[in-house]
C-alpha cells in the first residue's frame, strides 16, 4: 500500500523558502552609546540603561552592577558613588571607565 505521508512531507520541504546562508544574513551592528558620557556628569542609571556603557561599567566595576542596592544608586554619578564605594570605584578605576566612555562612539 502506498503512503502519501512521506511524499507530502517531501513536497512541503521542497516548497518551503530556503534560509539565506549564514554569511548573507544581516547581523546587527555593534551597539553604540546614546551620547557622550562621563563619570562626573552621567548618572549610574543612564550608564546602565545604555548597553555599551553598561558593559564598560561591568568591565571595570562588576560588583557595582551586581550589588543588591544598585537601584538606590541609579540617580548618582560614579564620582558621587566613590564616597560610598571607594574601594571599588577608586581614582584609577574611575579614570579607566571615563576614558572608555569617551572612546565609545555615540549613536
Amino acid at each position: 500500500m502506498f503512503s502519501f505521508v512521506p511524499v507530502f512531507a517531501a513536497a512541503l520541504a521542497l516548497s518551503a523558502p530556503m534560509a539565506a546562508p549564514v554569511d548573507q544574513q544581516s547581523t546587527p551592528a555593534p551597539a553604540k552609546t546614546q551620547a557622550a558620557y562621563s563619570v562626573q556628569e552621567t548618572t549610574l542609571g543612564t550608564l546602565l540603561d545604555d548597553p555599551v556603557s553598561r558593559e564598560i561599567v561591568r568591565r571595570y566595576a562588576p560588583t557595582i552592577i551586581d550589588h543588591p542596592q544598585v537601584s538606590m544608586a541609579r540617580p548618582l554619578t560614579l564620582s558621587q558613588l566613590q564616597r560610598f564605594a571607594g574601594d571599588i570605584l577608586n581614582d584609577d578605576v574611575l579614570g579607566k571607565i571615563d576614558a572608555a566612555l569617551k572612546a565609545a562612539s555615540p549613536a
Side-chain angles (χ1 to χ4, degrees):
M1 177 175 210
F2 184 74
S3 174
F4 287 101
V5 175
V7 175
F8 184 68
L12 279 177
L14 291 174
S15 67
M18 299 206 39
V22 173
D23 60 332
Q24 291 180 356
Q25 291 178 348
S26 63
T27 55
K32 298 183 180 211
T33 61
Q34 299 300 314
Y37 297 136
S38 75
V39 297
Q40 295 85 13
E41 297 177 13
T42 310
T43 65
L44 178 61
T46 300
L47 294 176
L48 295 182
D49 291 344
D50 182 308
V52 173
S53 58
R54 179 184 183 87
E55 190 54 39
I56 291 170
V57 173
R58 181 177 297 287
R59 184 181 324 142
Y60 296 106
T63 54
I64 293 293
I65 290 178
D66 298 329
H67 195 280
Q69 295 175 328
V70 69
S71 62
M72 293 174 49
R74 288 180 65 88
L76 303 174
T77 67
L78 291 177
S79 292
Q80 292 170 326
L81 282 174
Q82 187 179 29
R83 292 181 290 179
F84 308 106
D87 55 327
I88 299 167
L89 295 173
N90 59 44
D91 290 339
D92 182 49
V93 170
L94 287 182
K96 289 177 182 179
I97 292 173
D98 204 44
L101 289 172
K102 286 180 177 26
S105 17

